[in-house]
Amino acid sequence: MPASLPPFPSTSRLLDLIRSPDDVKGLSSTQLPALAAEIREELIRVTARNGGHIGPNLGVVELTLALHRVFSTPRDKFVFDVAHQGYVHKLLTGRLAGLQKVRQTGGASGFLNRSESPHDAFGAGHAGTALSAALGMATARDLKGTDEHVVALCGDAAFTCGITLEALNNVVSSTKRLVVVLNDNEWSIARNVGAIAKYLNRLSTNRTYNKVYHDVEQFFLGLPGGRDMNRLWNKWKRETKDFFVESSLFEKFGLRYLGPIDGHNLDELIKNLEFARDTDTPILLHVITEKGRGLDAARAHPEKFHGLGAFDPTTGEAKSGPPGTPPSYQDVFGRELVRLATADSRIVGITGAMPSGTGLNQLAASVPRQFFDVGIAEEHAVVFAAGLATQGLRPVVAIYSTFLQRAFDNILHDVALQNLPVTFCLDRAGLSPNDGATHHGLFDLAYLRCVPRAVIMAPRDEHQLAAMLRTALAHDGPAFIRYPRGSCTGTPPPPECAILPLGRAEILRPGRDVVLWAIGTMCADALALADQLHTLDQVDAGVVDARFAKPLDCELLLAQAAEARLIVTLEDGVVTGGFGSGVLETLSAAGLNTPVERLGWPDVFVDHGSSVTELRAAHGLAPADLLRQVQARLARLEAVTA
Ligand SMILES: Cc1ncc(C[n+]2csc(CCOP(=O)(O)OP(=O)(O)O)c2C)c(N)n1
């Protein structure tokens, strides 16, 4: 990588001439490697500034170029798994300008999005959906009698997902024509885990298999009419089953297997993709790529460079916060769990492929026997935890709020219904601003509140997180703790880390006229709001930290509501069915008609943006908006009583 990167736009770049995939097709084969090099420079330049999924994208430069050389989107459909590796596709489909502000307000999304471009056949952000969606598209094509190609691009970690395996099981019964590209770089975010990862590794390094396969393949492909001969060879091979070497797992599912293919060799990629395009049977191309290719730091640290914030493009150093920034909630959680698990061998930690993101890497390093990374398998993680809990263990499942959505039935059917003591730590609750709608953790309060027996907590600072972890582990049933991404408050620690009485709120500021009931990090907003109401409007405003969204402290709530003019609820989640709804339900059930003003995220999908502050402002949740909303409600109430 050059020490200093060219300014944008550089007039002599091929990349600036690429407005659509047709332009890629118009390049000579000698220009393609030059374009690949320019794309890498551009990827490094924009992600160094904006942050983003640099490692995965650097790995698929040649693969994406080859795909656009061989297929024609938007007529042909590319379905990217997770779609975090779609930046190159964006560059080749007219989004060079949008990529300058990728993941920022007004810039391109960090994932693929059907509303962003007709070249994005399917939106994603969560893993494991590509094969199912592609199979749906291929089947629709067959039913409609059209002839476009459908290509699913799946990472090796996608095959740790149940959905991918469910789709694999259905391929041959659904369609005769589907191209699956397995982009194998041996990494999930951390190193890929499980039996399939080991199997893929064996497959890509099994010399006998590859040699026999490759040589015969190339021999037939090189003959005039070689494609037909190759079909015969495949048919014969299928029929003689495992005569030479054991057929691959994918062949057992009825897909034709081609590979391993060097994912950085454009000629080899193009030749194999053309073959796949013209094959009349579902086919899987096993493509070997290197994550982070072209940036030494990313190659050396694939986990860190999977996705990160702004970094120095020359040294690869991530830009860190100002000195004295408090630790993150993830760090505090990881540290507390190590403390607890070291003292109690019944405590085990489970992650779905996010050891560093959740902070469970600390447990993996300190008490590895009590740590499990199950891959991108959230449903399995939850049922696995349920099984462990039946045997007297105390599992702690750490999954981002957004990814736990996938395991709702397992929470309900496997854990809560059997009243099993599983602790759920929902990281990234609230906004994940740069990632956007697929990653915001705004729904958990709503989707968990309806689960019988669920104890749902949210800490307002790091010390409460530690106390809640102890509370959850002491509770004999399912317990959920939600906390946000990023830095804690830096609040001085209390004298002791006590277990909280279940369903007991805490009064943070006395006040009887208007009472603000907040949960989690919104307590800070509530305190500031109460101060303003007091100072500006002489309102006697109190603040309560609910601590528990369920069970709610009904006793305190009803006592306060009986006297207050207005109850205001504040939550970092959707208001529809959330914490404030619980407050409303409680008052309604008790026959109290004290007005309730609910402050939280509206009933829409929130896009990506540069920061939490910007997104809050865009959705009427900036501190000034909250104040205006409460003042307006109070004014309306006064107008009614006047
Ligand atoms: C359901 C779900 N769980 C976890 C994640 C977080 N996640 C994003 S990308 C990724 C790893 C993807 O690995 P792979 O598919 O092999 O692609 P690579 O990044 O290696 O190219 C994970 C775990 C997610 N997006 N969705």
Side-chain angles (χ1 to χ4, degrees):
M1 211 212 68
S4 62
L5 295 166
F8 171 81
S10 151
T11 44
S12 57
R13 293 194 312 178
L14 287 169
L15 183 57
D16 298 320
L17 306 174
I18 304 294
R19 305 263 182 264
S20 79
D22 284 345
D23 298 326
V24 180
K25 292 186 180 69
L27 296 177
S28 71
S29 54
T30 50
Q31 286 174 310
L32 285 182
L35 178 60
E38 289 177 9
I39 289 174
R40 284 206 165 85
E41 281 190 356
E42 187 67 8
L43 290 173
I44 293 166
R45 210 173 57 79
V46 295
T47 51
R49 192 177 55 225
N50 300 320
H53 288 102
I54 181 65
N57 280 287
L58 287 172
V60 296
V61 173
E62 288 81 8
L63 177 57
T64 314
L65 274 171
L67 280 165
H68 278 292
R69 248 336 234 209
V70 173
F71 296 95
S72 295
T73 62
R75 185 179 176 279
D76 294 333
K77 314 293 173 202
F78 293 168
V79 187
F80 287 72
D81 204 69
V82 188
H84 61 311
Q85 74 294 57
Y87 298 8
V88 188
H89 168 72
K90 291 189 187 216
L91 285 173
L92 303 180
T93 51
R95 283 173 275 176
L96 173 61
L99 209 74
Q100 301 310 305
K101 285 182 73 186
V102 65
R103 294 156 51 86
Q104 309 298 314
T105 305
S109 159
F111 301 94
L112 298 195
N113 191 328
R114 280 169 59 81
S115 62
E116 194 178 283
S117 166
H119 295 277
D120 293 0
F122 202 70
H126 290 198
T129 59
L131 194 51
S132 296
L135 196 50
M137 289 176 195
T139 306
R141 172 204 58 207
D142 299 346
L143 289 172
K144 289 192 293 184
T146 51
D147 64 355
E148 67 273 18
H149 299 283
V150 180
V151 182
L153 184 78
C154 305
D156 47 303
F159 287 85
T160 65
C161 287
I163 318 180
T164 304
L165 299 178
E166 290 164 28
L168 193 60
N169 189 40
N170 276 279
V171 171
V172 286
S173 57
S174 301
T175 188
K176 291 209 163 18
R177 212 153 54 80
L178 176 72
V179 179
V180 183
V181 176
L182 163 55
N183 169 32
D184 185 359
N185 56 27
E186 295 183 23
W187 288 82
S188 178
I189 291 179
R191 194 169 269 288
N192 203 8
V193 296
I196 292 187
K198 284 207 181 94
Y199 169 75
L200 290 178
N201 183 267
R202 257 194 298 130
L203 197 57
S204 56
T205 52
N206 181 334
R207 289 187 157 265
T208 327
Y209 183 91
N210 294 324
K211 183 117 186 66
V212 172
Y213 213 101
H214 185 261
D215 288 356
V216 180
E217 191 104 58
Q218 294 309 309
F219 172 73
F220 281 118
L221 284 173
L223 292 177
R227 293 238 153 83
D228 293 336
M229 298 291 281
N230 197 55
R231 263 180 218 134
L232 277 182
W233 139 249
N234 282 314
K235 186 165 182 291
W236 179 76
K237 184 177 171 293
R238 254 199 321 272
E239 279 162 13
T240 53
K241 288 262 163 47
D242 303 338
F243 181 74
F244 274 134
V245 280
E246 193 195 346
S247 60
S248 80
L249 172 74
F250 304 104
E251 285 162 313
K252 291 189 163 72
F253 279 95
L255 281 82
R256 168 93 169 73
Y257 170 88
L258 212 59
I261 297 156
D262 177 352
H264 302 294
N265 180 329
L266 276 160
D267 289 343
E268 195 179 330
L269 281 167
I270 290 169
K271 198 167 60 188
N272 281 286
L273 283 168
E274 281 171 349
F275 176 73
R277 181 193 59 197
D278 301 338
T279 299
D280 54 7
T281 177
I283 184 163
L284 182 135
L285 272 68
H286 187 185
V287 177
I288 309 296
T289 61
E290 182 188 29
K291 217 163 171 168
R293 191 177 180 92
L295 180 63
D296 290 344
R299 288 173 59 230
H301 306 287
E303 184 167 1
K304 176 176 161 196
F305 280 82
H306 171 86
L308 77 172
F311 61 92
D312 181 321
T314 355
T315 62
E317 271 308 301
K319 304 234 165 97
S320 48
T325 305
S328 69
Y329 280 95
Q330 295 61 53
D331 287 343
V332 171
F333 161 68
R335 187 189 69 208
E336 289 302 316
L337 190 63
V338 167
R339 225 172 249 167
L340 294 163
T342 309
D344 182 348
S345 61
R346 295 173 311 149
I347 297 175
V348 295
I350 302 163
T351 175
M354 313 292 286
S356 53
T358 55
L360 272 190
N361 53 350
Q362 298 184 48
L363 187 70
S366 311
V367 206
R369 240 177 77 81
Q370 287 161 249
F371 165 81
F372 298 92
D373 178 355
V374 297
I376 312 175
E378 289 79 7
E379 294 141 291
H380 165 66
V382 174
V383 189
F384 176 59
L388 290 163
T390 62
Q391 301 307 303
L393 297 195
R394 289 289 178 157
V396 175
V397 182
I399 295 182
Y400 290 8
S401 162
T402 187
F403 302 142
L404 193 62
Q405 286 162 194
R406 183 166 282 190
F408 178 75
D409 182 55
N410 312 110
I411 289 169
L412 194 139
H413 169 270
D414 301 292
V415 176
L417 182 57
Q418 307 191 80
N419 200 24
L420 292 170
V422 177
T423 295
F424 293 88
C425 291
L426 283 70
D427 198 301
R428 274 33 167 208
L431 284 193
S432 196
N434 305 122
D435 288 324
T438 55
H439 281 61
H440 297 317
L442 296 178
F443 302 99
D444 55 85
L445 288 170
Y447 74 71
L448 292 174
R449 228 172 45 74
C450 64
V451 176
R453 297 189 177 128
V455 169
I456 310 167
M457 300 172 260
R460 67 172 184 269
D461 63 29
E462 54 270 47
H463 312 298
Q464 228 181 38
L465 171 59
M468 285 176 177
L469 191 53
R470 283 164 176 74
T471 308
L473 284 163
H475 175 59
D476 237 345
F480 301 82
I481 311 170
R482 76 183 304 263
Y483 46 91
R485 177 176 203 271
S487 301
C488 298
T489 57
T491 313
E496 59 163 341
C497 183
I499 289 174
L500 305 177
L502 284 196
R504 188 74 60 78
E506 183 184 349
I507 296 175
L508 299 182
R509 175 190 163 116
R512 301 153 66 107
D513 189 21
V514 173
V515 189
L516 310 177
W517 273 65
I519 185 142
T521 50
M522 293 307 284
C523 288
D525 290 79
L527 285 166
L529 185 54
D531 279 348
Q532 287 176 309
L533 287 169
H534 180 75
T535 319
L536 300 175
D537 303 330
Q538 292 75 53
V539 173
D540 177 23
V543 176
V544 173
D545 173 2
R547 302 197 294 200
F548 295 83
K550 186 174 178 173
L552 263 181
D553 192 338
C554 297
E555 208 182 308
L556 180 65
L557 176 64
L558 294 177
Q560 290 184 329
E563 293 190 3
R565 196 154 45 111
L566 175 68
I567 298 286
V568 178
T569 62
L570 295 96
E571 61 196 298
D572 195 12
V574 286
V575 284
T576 319
F579 163 69
S581 299
V583 167
L584 266 178
E585 287 160 16
T586 306
L587 299 190
S588 166
L592 280 182
N593 56 6
T594 315
V596 177
E597 184 69 21
R598 289 174 301 153
L599 304 178
W601 290 91
D603 188 15
V604 297
F605 286 110
V606 177
D607 221 339
H608 65 278
S610 302
S611 65
V612 170
T613 310
E614 277 191 29
L615 286 172
R616 279 184 64 167
H619 289 84
L621 293 172
D625 300 322
L626 301 182
L627 176 65
R628 255 195 308 277
Q629 205 170 321
V630 175
Q631 285 172 326
R633 183 69 185 257
L634 285 170
R636 286 205 303 278
L637 290 172
E638 265 162 36
V640 171
T641 49

